[in-house]
């Protein structure tokens, strides 16, 4: 194993950056392999083209006859671009994408064949896919799953395959993917936000949720990654002592990008341009060998598809550059983990960002309406938001090294806090002309001025307002954005529905003017949601105590956090909005618990294997070297040998003690695992793995890492942190 480590280091040090040619402008490359509107105009009939546009705008179903025309045009375009196969590209509940390729090929007899792709194959397919997680939705005798085309996300060509973004549902019609609930949530927010936006602009007919994700990741040379069994199988290091120098000097952050990494980034960005993924920003992140990639904002469904596609493309491009991409939230202990900040906002078809202050008091009242309703929605559903970012891997990140804590809070800055404090004083009932004028001119009217330089610097807030959007920072780097985006859009949609109902009641029942009614309702929301607002340090013990006083949850682990998914109020909300039924909700809860169990179980087995088969044998080997040395000293110095071998004897003794603790820790961990496996209920088993199995990870690691410091570097089998993090 030590030989493998040094071979990997030698191989890494001999790598050279791959030359990347960029002969064309990015604007010319952008979307070249995407079935865009301009491509549709060329390859579709006018009727077929209009049908796709209507489906995108209104959700109207496409007639099967028209689908035949669309599929023919799509096939001709794909073949002209070198495609030989097609696939329904979907996102099952595994966290990755899925595809089954079929050729544009069919025999017609007499030894002849044609390229064929019909409307039926475009609109719906039956990939079976019976082994994907289903949480009990699918019985063995009806294991079929169906994929159906999502026309709101354009088809694209990757390699030689036409990929058709699709939903994935069971034989009974229940959602088995991330996309289906997201599409339903986006429809709900569209309807609710449009109704409220009409208070301020009657011309608004549609509201889109927008998303801009920020993908953080680590790049490690593939040879170094292959030399670590834990990185290969778990995506993170289960052992490894912190290097003398980590990230404490902040010298990597925003620094010059290493040449090999820059070549990788250029190659990746070229692929993204072709696929229509609008990546714009790249930079070094805080931790050594950690980087970030971010795009321009897009409609939320398309943005989710693009992020899922990007993660796949990143791994494929990395292979060409002899890199391994680590998406795990915490691949290395003691330094920053990786997140996927979700920047969310709402925009109208009239071109207005509803979370962006405007130039008039009326536009700013509109901003405040959506701003305060969002905060109220987060306050009332903070446990649900925490549940949507829960995973075994994100548990290691939350609350450590600049990551947000498990407590969900909103940060809005001191200036907006002052605005809300002023609005909290609004008179109950009808406002006097003087008060209304004062509010509009001196409070609401001045919002753009006070936000001019109001950039957010609170890195510990999980849900922060950043000028014209909210940034959900607690989302983990491995996550599919669809899950937190489904919940966020759902809770805001529900909140906006309730808001409109209350305002309308005041207008009709109390005969209030519209502005008076809006101010009255917003005043109560400001009071009701005050507890979720926090401007201080999210890591402090004081905040934990204060959050508990405020009644905010602090669900530190995944099994505890996931309980919010199956609360009655969650079920009722999702059912009311038509996003998920009870079967779909319960299935997701079951799937996520099972995934948590399997992740901890796998890591437990890997840790036991590495500790017993690599660390302990190496420790014994080094101990034998020391014992031989002590015997030699005894031969030379006779009775005085103890004086000359004192340090060696201490190390021999320490090695024995640490081996014993490692071995007993593994034995106890295995016993705890056996007991957990006997439990029948998934939730009970998940808690057993969390509370009884996982604690042994730290115990075993501690003693293994201490041995790393004791044992001769020349024989240590595992590639060390300094090599993984600082070998360029």
């Amino acid at each position: 194993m030590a030989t493998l480590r040094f071979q990997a280091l030698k191989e890494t040090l001999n790598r050279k950056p791959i030359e990347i040619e960029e002969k064309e402008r990015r604007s010319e490359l952008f979307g070249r392999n995407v079935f865009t509107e301009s491509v549709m105009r060329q390859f579709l009939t006018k009727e077929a083209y209009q049908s796709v546009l209507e489906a995108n705008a209104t959700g109207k179903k496409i007639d099967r006859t028209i689908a035949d025309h669309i599929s023919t045009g799509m096939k001709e375009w794909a073949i002209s671009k070198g495609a030989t196969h097609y696939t329904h590209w979907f996102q099952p509940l595994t966290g990755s994408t899925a595809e089954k390729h079929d050729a544009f090929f069919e025999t017609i007899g007499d030894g002849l064949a044609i390229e064929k792709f019909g409307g039926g194959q475009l609109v719906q397919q039956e990939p079976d896919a019976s082994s994907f997680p289903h949480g009990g939705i699918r019985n063995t005798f009806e294991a079929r799953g169906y994929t159906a085309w999502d026309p709101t996300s354009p088809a694209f060509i990757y390699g030689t395959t036409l990929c058709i973004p699709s939903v994935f549902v069971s034989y009974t019609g229940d959602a088995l993917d991330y996309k289906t609930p997201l599409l339903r949530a986006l429809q709900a927010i569209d309807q609710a936000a449009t109704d409220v936006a009409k208070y301020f602009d009657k011309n608004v007919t549609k509201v889109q949720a927008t998303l801009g994700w920020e993908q953080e990741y680590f790049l490690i040379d593939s040879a170094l990654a292959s030399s670590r069994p834990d990185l290969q199988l778990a995506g993170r290091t289960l052992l490894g002592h912190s290097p003398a120098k980590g990230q404490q000097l902040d010298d990597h952050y925003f620094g010059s990008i290493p040449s090999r990494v820059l070549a990788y980034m250029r190659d990746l960005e070229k692929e993204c341009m072709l696929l229509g993924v609008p990546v714009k920003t790249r930079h070094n992140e805080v931790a050594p060998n950690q980087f970030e990639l971010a795009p321009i904002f897009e409609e939320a469904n398309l943005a989710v598809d693009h992020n899922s596609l990007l993660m796949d493309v990143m791994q494929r491009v990395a292979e060409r550059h002899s890199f391994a991409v680590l998406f795990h939230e915490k691949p290395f202990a003691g330094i920053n983990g990786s997140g996927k900040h979700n920047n969310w906002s709402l925009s109208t078809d009239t071109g207005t960002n509803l979370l962006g202050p405007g130039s008039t008091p009326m536009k700013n009242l509109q901003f405040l309406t959506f701003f305060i309703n969002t905060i109220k929605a987060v306050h009332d559903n903070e446990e649900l938001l925490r549940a949507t970012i829960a995973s075994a891997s994100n548990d290691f990140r939350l609350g450590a090294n600049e990551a947000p804590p498990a407590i969900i809070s909103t940060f809005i800055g001191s200036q907006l806090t002052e605005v809300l404090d002023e609005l909290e004083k609004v008179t109950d009932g009808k406002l006097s002309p003087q008060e209304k004028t004062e509010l509009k001119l001196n409070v609401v009217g001045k919002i753009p001025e006070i936000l001019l330089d109001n950039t957010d610097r609170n890195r510990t807030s999980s849900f922060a307002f950043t000028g014209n959007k909210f940034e959900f920072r607690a989302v983990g780097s491995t996550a599919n954005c669809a899950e937190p985006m489904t919940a966020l859009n759902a809770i805001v949609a529900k909140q906006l529905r309730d808001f409109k109902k209350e305002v309308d009641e005041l207008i009709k029942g109390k005969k209030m003017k519209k502005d008076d009614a809006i101010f009255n309702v917003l005043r109560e929301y400001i009071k009701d949601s005050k507890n979720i607002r926090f401007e201080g340090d999210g890591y402090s013990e004081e905040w934990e105590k204060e959050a508990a006083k405020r009644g905010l949850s602090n669900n530190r682990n995944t099994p505890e956090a996931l309980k919010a998914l199956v609360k009655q109020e969650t079920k009722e909300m999702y059912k009311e909005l038509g996003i998920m039924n009870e079967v779909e909700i319960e299935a997701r809860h079951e799937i996520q618990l099972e995934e948590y169990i399997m992740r901890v179980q796998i890591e437990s087995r890997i840790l036991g294997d590495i500790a017993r088969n690599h660390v302990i044998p190496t420790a014994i080997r080094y101990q034998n070297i020391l014992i031989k040395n002590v015997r030699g000293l005894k031969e030379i110095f006779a009775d005085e040998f103890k004086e000359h071998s004192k340090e060696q004897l201490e190390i021999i003794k320490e090695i024995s003690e640490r081996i014993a603790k490692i071995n007993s820790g593994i034995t106890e961990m295995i016993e705890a695992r056996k007991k957990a496996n006997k439990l029948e209920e998934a939730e009970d088993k998940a808690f057993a793995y969390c509370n009884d199995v996982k604690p042994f990870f730290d115990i075993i690691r501690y003693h293994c890492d201490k041995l790393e410091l004791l044992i001769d570097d020349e024989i240590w089998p595992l590639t060390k942190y300094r090599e993984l993090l600082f070998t360029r």
Side-chain angles (χ1 to χ4, degrees), residues 66-82:
I66 300 296
D68 282 330
H69 295 299
I70 298 169
S71 63
T72 300
M74 197 181 284
K75 177 196 69 178
E76 292 305 315
W77 168 74
I79 291 173
S80 74
K81 303 287 289 182

Side-chain angles (χ1 to χ4, degrees), residues 193-207 348-354 362-363 365-366 370 514 518:
T194 298
D195 287 345
V196 173
K198 283 182 181 293
Y199 282 143
F200 309 97
D201 183 355
K202 297 290 184 184
N203 296 316
V204 174
T205 59
K206 187 175 181 61
V207 172
T348 69
D349 56 350
T350 58
T352 299
N353 176 2
L354 295 172
M362 179 57 79
K363 287 181 179 178
L365 183 55
Q366 174 180 268
F370 286 91
K514 180 182 68 178
I518 290 171

Side-chain angles (χ1 to χ4, degrees), residues 402-414:
E402 296 187 0
I407 304 166
I408 300 295
S409 65
T410 62
F411 173 90
I412 64 172
S414 58

Side-chain angles (χ1 to χ4, degrees), residues 465-480:
F465 183 70
T466 55
N468 60 359
K469 62 190 183 298
F470 279 99
E471 186 176 7
F472 193 9
R473 291 176 172 156
V475 182
S477 50
T478 61
N480 186 310

Side-chain angles (χ1 to χ4, degrees), residues 311-369:
M311 292 172 76
D312 185 36
V313 175
M314 285 176 75
Q315 290 172 322
R316 297 192 193 193
V317 174
E319 290 175 11
R320 294 203 289 262
H321 293 259
S322 301
F323 279 126
V325 182
L326 305 183
F327 287 119
H328 194 287
E329 282 81 356
K330 198 74 172 176
F332 302 101
I335 59 174
N336 277 22
S338 297
K340 186 182 297 185
H341 299 180
N342 278 210
N343 295 279
W344 172 88
S345 192
L346 297 169
S347 63
T348 69
D349 56 350
T350 58
T352 299
N353 176 2
L354 295 172
L355 287 172
S359 55
T360 66
M362 179 57 79
K363 287 181 179 178
N364 291 326
L365 183 55
Q366 174 180 268
F367 156 71
L368 284 170
T369 295

Side-chain angles (χ1 to χ4, degrees), residues 143-158:
R144 285 175 292 173
Y146 295 95
T147 52
W149 174 36
D150 169 21
T152 64
S153 184
F156 57 90
I157 294 169
Y158 191 43

Side-chain angles (χ1 to χ4, degrees), residues 260-279:
R260 274 185 67 203
V261 175
L262 187 58
Y264 163 77
M265 288 177 168
R266 290 172 63 197
D267 198 3
L268 172 64
E269 288 167 1
K270 184 178 178 181
E271 291 281 358
C272 287
M273 288 299 108
L274 292 169
L275 293 165
V277 183
V279 294

